[in-house]
């Protein structure tokens, strides 16, 4: 479990994060979402101790993160941050083995178990074939998968990921987040820009806006047009597809218009709009209004009316994903 309690942080005296409080329950996947510059990466860096807060605390299970040292920290927390690739002759296999280095004694080499752990992690991310390649020669997406393999090889029980789907093609985005979601013994906080991926693979979401928590709760509670439109400043419509909530976005400063084209026609004629009052009820659920900070001074206000939501009909759509309901 990761507990973030009343975190405040300033860059050069400018308040960047203020009064950030939320909890990632054991084994859950929590998505950190929000517009550019809202403070997502800074918050992640505070959680993994690359930055120190001006106030507040981060606690991993029952221990403040600033009291975790060496192997204990490595056993608790693995991180995939945004980082430049070193231009060195290090291979992919060696890069992933670095995830095992906290467990290697001062004058020991990697053990067979370490090499198996690294190979298994590479296999998990579909990158086993890259093992002998130089890391610096990989494409952006290949590098991203290898960095995730390195974090998996570390076998920590908490995982922090900063935009892990960057550079990945659509299939690997889904495969990777599905893999992360499947790590049921690992508590994960993941920064995501793609809200539809967040909808499908996160148990709960924390929406940042101007350095404050604009909303926190389940996917159904946070991903509503009412909440998202003022934060992102564009019209939002909510639908569902393939068993998960999915969002459609209109251009900024344009009123929301009915969907057009074949898909829209299908959506509007074959399935009725979902009852918005449902959504309102869910929003009133376990996220008290007081948990949501008032809109920050930087919040934009969409001039678009809030659109209703529709279930997109597909003959081959599976029944609603049971994981959606099972908040871990
Ligand atoms: N090293 C730094 N020094 C000063 N200001 C910084 C520094 N790093 C980030 N900031 C500022 O802090 C704010 C939050 O940045 P942060 O990178 O955390 O946002 P983000 O939500 O991750 O953004 P993005 O979605 O664009 O990656 C921004 O205004 C940014 O300009």
């Amino acid at each position: 479990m990761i507990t973030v309690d009343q975190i405040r942080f300033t860059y050069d005296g400018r308040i960047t994060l203020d009064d950030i409080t939320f909890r990632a329950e054991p084994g859950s996947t929590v998505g950190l979402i929000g517009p550019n510059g809202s403070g997502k990466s800074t918050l992640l860096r505070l959680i993994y101790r690359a930055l120190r807060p001006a106030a507040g605390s981060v606690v991993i299970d029952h221990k403040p993160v600033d009291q975790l040292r060496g192997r204990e920290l490595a056993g608790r927390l693995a991180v995939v941050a945004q980082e430049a690739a070193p231009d060195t002759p290090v291979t992919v296999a060696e890069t992933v083995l670095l995830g095992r280095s906290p467990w290697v004694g001062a004058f020991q080499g990697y053990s067979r178990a370490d090499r198996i752990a690294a190979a298994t992690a590479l296999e998990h991310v579909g990158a086993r074939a890259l093992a002998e390649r130089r890391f610096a020669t990989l494409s952006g997406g290949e590098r991203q998968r290898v960095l995730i393999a390195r974090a998996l090889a570390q076998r920590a029980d908490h995982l922090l990921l900063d935009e892990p789907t960057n550079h990945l093609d659509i299939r690997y985005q889904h495969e990777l987040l599905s893999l992360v979601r499947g790590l049921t013994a690992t508590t994960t906080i993941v920064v995501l820009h793609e809200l539809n991926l967040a909808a499908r693979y996160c148990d709960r979401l924390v929406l940042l806006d101007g350095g404050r928590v604009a909303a926190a709760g389940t996917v159904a509670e946070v991903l509503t047009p009412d909440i998202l439109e003022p934060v992102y400043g564009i019209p939002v419509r909510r639908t569902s597809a393939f068993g998960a909530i999915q969002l459609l976005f209109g251009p900024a400063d344009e009123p929301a218009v009915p969907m057009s084209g074949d898909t829209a026609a299908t959506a509007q004629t074959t399935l009725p709009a979902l009852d918005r009052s449902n959504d309102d009820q869910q929003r009133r659920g376990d996220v008290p209004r007081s948990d949501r900070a008032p809109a920050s001074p930087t919040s934009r206000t969409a001039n678009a009316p809030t659109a209703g939501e529709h279930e997109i009909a597909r003959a081959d759509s599976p029944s609603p994903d049971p994981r959606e309901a099972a908040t871990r």
Side-chain angles (χ1 to χ4, degrees):
M1 180 167 67
I2 299 175
T3 308
V4 174
D5 189 26
Q6 295 184 306
I7 284 281
R8 175 181 236 255
F9 180 77
T10 60
Y11 275 124
D12 310 322
R14 189 170 43 86
I15 296 173
T16 307
L17 290 169
D18 199 16
D19 196 22
I20 306 291
T21 296
F22 69 92
R23 202 165 57 203
E25 296 292 341
S28 69
T29 301
V30 172
L32 266 186
I33 57 173
N36 288 137
S38 55
K40 304 177 296 296
S41 297
T42 302
L43 179 52
L44 214 65
R45 297 176 76 202
L46 284 157
I47 296 172
Y48 66 79
R49 267 191 13 187
L51 296 171
R52 282 188 180 278
S57 63
V58 176
V59 175
I60 307 285
D61 290 337
H62 299 291
K63 197 152 184 183
V65 73
D66 53 12
Q67 288 177 18
L68 293 170
R69 298 272 179 274
R71 284 188 177 194
E72 192 182 6
L73 180 63
R76 305 317 312 269
L77 211 53
V79 181
V80 179
Q82 303 283 335
E83 57 185 272
D87 195 11
T88 58
V90 176
T91 67
V92 164
E94 288 161 347
T95 302
V96 178
L97 267 172
L98 285 175
R100 301 298 307 157
S101 55
W103 318 115
V104 176
F107 299 104
Q108 289 176 320
Y110 292 108
S111 66
R112 187 162 180 274
D114 291 325
R115 291 179 193 285
I116 290 172
T120 306
L122 263 181
E123 185 88 50
H124 252 110
V125 299
R128 184 100 188 234
L130 302 176
E132 300 312 318
R133 290 268 307 272
R134 272 181 58 191
F135 181 74
T137 67
L138 300 183
S139 75
E142 290 166 343
R143 282 181 196 173
Q144 196 70 354
R145 279 150 58 198
V146 170
L147 292 178
I148 297 208
R150 187 181 66 187
L152 295 179
Q154 192 178 321
R155 303 220 169 136
D157 53 8
H158 296 77
L159 184 59
L160 304 179
L161 303 167
D162 195 352
E163 295 185 47
T165 52
N166 253 358
H167 303 295
L168 296 186
D169 68 40
I170 191 72
R171 175 179 159 174
Y172 274 118
Q173 290 178 16
H174 282 266
E175 284 195 3
L176 187 101
L177 290 175
S178 175
L179 182 147
V180 167
R181 179 81 186 258
L183 301 171
T184 50
T186 307
T187 306
T188 303
I189 298 180
V190 53
V191 172
L192 286 172
H193 270 296
E194 173 49 70
L195 300 184
N196 286 324
L197 290 173
R200 183 170 296 281
Y201 295 108
C202 294
D203 297 303
R204 296 180 75 83
L205 298 175
V206 176
L207 171 67
L208 295 184
D209 185 25
R212 296 180 68 97
V213 176
T218 63
V219 167
E221 288 162 348
V222 175
L223 297 187
T224 71
D226 287 351
I227 289 174
L228 297 174
E229 286 180 349
V231 170
Y232 285 93
I234 57 168
V236 177
R237 298 188 74 176
R238 188 163 114 166
T239 74
S240 78
F242 298 104
I245 286 171
Q246 296 288 276
L247 302 168
L248 302 172
F249 305 100
D253 302 325
E254 285 286 329
V257 292
M259 288 187 288
S260 61
D262 292 343
T263 309
T266 308
Q268 287 170 349
T269 55
T270 57
L271 278 175
L274 296 176
D275 182 358
R276 278 197 65 106
S277 62
N278 251 353
D279 200 31
D280 293 337
Q281 268 170 8
Q282 282 171 322
R283 228 179 19 255
R284 284 196 296 272
D286 67 344
V287 180
R289 283 260 162 210
S290 57
D291 276 2
R292 294 188 217 131
S296 74
T298 56
S299 289
R300 290 149 291 178
T301 304
N303 59 2
T306 301
E309 51 181 346
H310 297 79
E311 178 82 18
I312 291 179
R314 272 187 62 101
D316 56 349
S317 286
S319 56
D321 188 341
R323 287 174 308 183
E324 219 182 304
T327 301
R328 287 175 276 154

